[in-house]
Amino acid sequence: MKKIQKRTMLCILLCLAFVLGIVFFLIRYTLNLNNWTRENYYAAIGYTPTTNLDIIMSVNGGSDKIYYTDDTKKEYYYVRGEISDRNGTALAVVNENGISYNASANTRIATLHAVGDRLSNISSGALRSLSDNFSRYTTVDGQRVAADNGNNVLLSIDASVNQIALYALSGYTGTVGVYNYKTGEILCMVSTPSFDPDNVPEDIETNPDYNGAYINRFFSSSFTPGSIMKVVTLEAAIDNIPDLFEQKFKCNGSYQIGNQIVRCTGKHGTIDVYDAFEHSCNSAFAQIALQLEQKTMSDNVRDANLTEPYTIDGKIHTSKGSFDFIGDTDYEFAWSCIGLHHDLVNPCNMMVYAGAVANGGSAAVPTLLNSVLSPTGELIKGVQTSYTKNLINQDTANKMKDLMLNNTKSSHYQASRFNVSIGAKTGTVDRADGGENGWFIGFVDDERYPYAFISYVEDCGSGVDLPADIAAYVLNALCF
Ligand SMILES: [Zn+2]
């Protein structure tokens, strides 16, 4: 009996010691909570920490611009990670030395707007927008040490295709984008002017050649669409003009509305809607516009999501488009339907719209993120596809697809440039300085390659020339 009493006492003592130990630990843990996670802790143990804030202050000469920040705008924790392209080619590594880019200058320049720069001037770069996927110190996970590599964030772009796009842009200002409208993966995204983040030009702020170099024109700008707008007007016409495909339109080089003249680029004679679309006849589209209500076009661009941003990977918001149909005179409304007047579209939104034409009315929302791998190579996160609402009625989308495919049958489109069958529409916009900005937009008509694309080049001449050439270079690299 006495023996059992002793054992019980021993057990109670052990339990008490255990509970006291826990209490002692919890008190110390709570008291030192900040020191566990902040540099004070390292100072206490005689270790000089290198936090992201330190990196920013040293590498950026004290700049207060924060890259790979969390939402607190103060990054005290370790962040380790790597940004690669879809094939695993390292584009940027973030470690205790700051950011190291790919060794090839061409790769750095071609992927700059996708990856981001050291000073976070390119706000939509992955260094910032996808930094949540890096490894960082947390109280739960524990300490990251300098030797840790961190997660590998794979982008959906192919760096070698980006290089081809950069080469094809041949020094012009513009943007090129291709994406998979079924998965949302952006396969190619280049914006120019670009620059080498390892050799930032000293005159980047003053040299007009670098005007807008910090802007990713694909996500963050809106431009006058010119005749690629006729795709949108065509949608409204198919939905609202019952005998559209029986109508004939006359073009003798211009079309008169009241006492004002809508000029055309040629004398197209008497044509149907197929020819009007293929020749991009302004006279015919003015006649189509006059059969549409202003509110119809206004609803149409809204439903096509050309006025509201897409949110890419939860962080990047594409630029809003804007249109001004309501209250236009007939003459102004005709020009709006032709893609001039006050129209502005974002290239990414317009590319998704082309994807919806190819895909029966809706398309995947673009993503720049392919996957996230742990330091040991395990898949942490894969492509997460989300779809747009129905941007276009399904029957209408299929008819539009036919017309865009019909365009490329004409010699004007020089479809032999492309390895694959495509549907497309050109656009050309007169500039105030006498030059022309060109567009080329469309989709690949091959179920192996469910791709939509957009190419926009400033001061380059007609859309069917350089912008289409660039699209051909890029698509031929992707579809083989
Ligand atoms: Zn015409």
Side-chain angles (χ1 to χ4, degrees), residues 251 253 264-268 271 281-284:
C251 171
C264 192
T265 52
K267 287 186 180 179
H268 297 117
I271 50 177
C281 176
N282 289 345
S283 302

Side-chain angles (χ1 to χ4, degrees), residues 407-426:
N407 282 354
T408 58
K409 287 178 191 154
S410 93
S411 59
H412 175 62
Y413 272 75
Q414 303 163 52
S416 59
R417 283 179 281 191
F418 295 85
N419 285 348
V420 278
S421 167
I422 62 160
K425 181 73 190 80
T426 55

Side-chain angles (χ1 to χ4, degrees), residues 178-198:
V178 182
Y179 100 123
N180 182 320
Y181 56 74
K182 290 199 183 290
T183 64
E185 293 167 283
I186 297 171
L187 303 169
C188 171
M189 177 177 69
V190 173
S191 177
T192 51
S194 185
F195 61 90
D196 182 352
D198 274 353

Side-chain angles (χ1 to χ4, degrees), residues 445-464:
D445 183 39
D446 184 325
E447 60 186 23
R448 292 172 298 169
Y449 309 113
Y451 303 155
F453 60 85
I454 194 153
S455 165
Y456 171 69
V457 189
E458 293 179 8
D459 204 9
C460 70
S462 172
V464 80

Side-chain angles (χ1 to χ4, degrees), residues 84 191 277 285-286 314 427 452:
S84 304
S191 177
F277 191 59
F285 271 80

Side-chain angles (χ1 to χ4, degrees), residues 356-469:
V357 170
N359 198 44
S362 72
V365 175
T367 170
L368 189 55
L369 179 65
N370 171 278
S371 57
V372 181
L373 305 179
S374 75
T376 54
E378 291 154 23
L379 182 70
I380 298 174
K381 192 192 271 190
V383 178
Q384 290 166 321
T385 304
S386 63
Y387 274 81
T388 66
K389 63 182 168 59
N390 233 31
L391 305 179
I392 310 165
N393 292 330
Q394 189 172 0
D395 288 348
T396 310
N398 291 339
K399 285 177 185 150
M400 294 164 75
K401 187 175 177 179
D402 281 347
L403 268 87
M404 287 178 78
L405 287 169
N406 181 65
N407 282 354
T408 58
K409 287 178 191 154
S410 93
S411 59
H412 175 62
Y413 272 75
Q414 303 163 52
S416 59
R417 283 179 281 191
F418 295 85
N419 285 348
V420 278
S421 167
I422 62 160
K425 181 73 190 80
T426 55
T428 306
V429 181
D430 289 335
R431 296 163 57 92
D433 61 12
E436 290 169 321
N437 300 335
W439 290 92
F440 198 70
I441 180 177
F443 54 84
V444 176
D445 183 39
D446 184 325
E447 60 186 23
R448 292 172 298 169
Y449 309 113
Y451 303 155
F453 60 85
I454 194 153
S455 165
Y456 171 69
V457 189
E458 293 179 8
D459 204 9
C460 70
S462 172
V464 80
D465 296 327
L466 184 62
D469 278 345

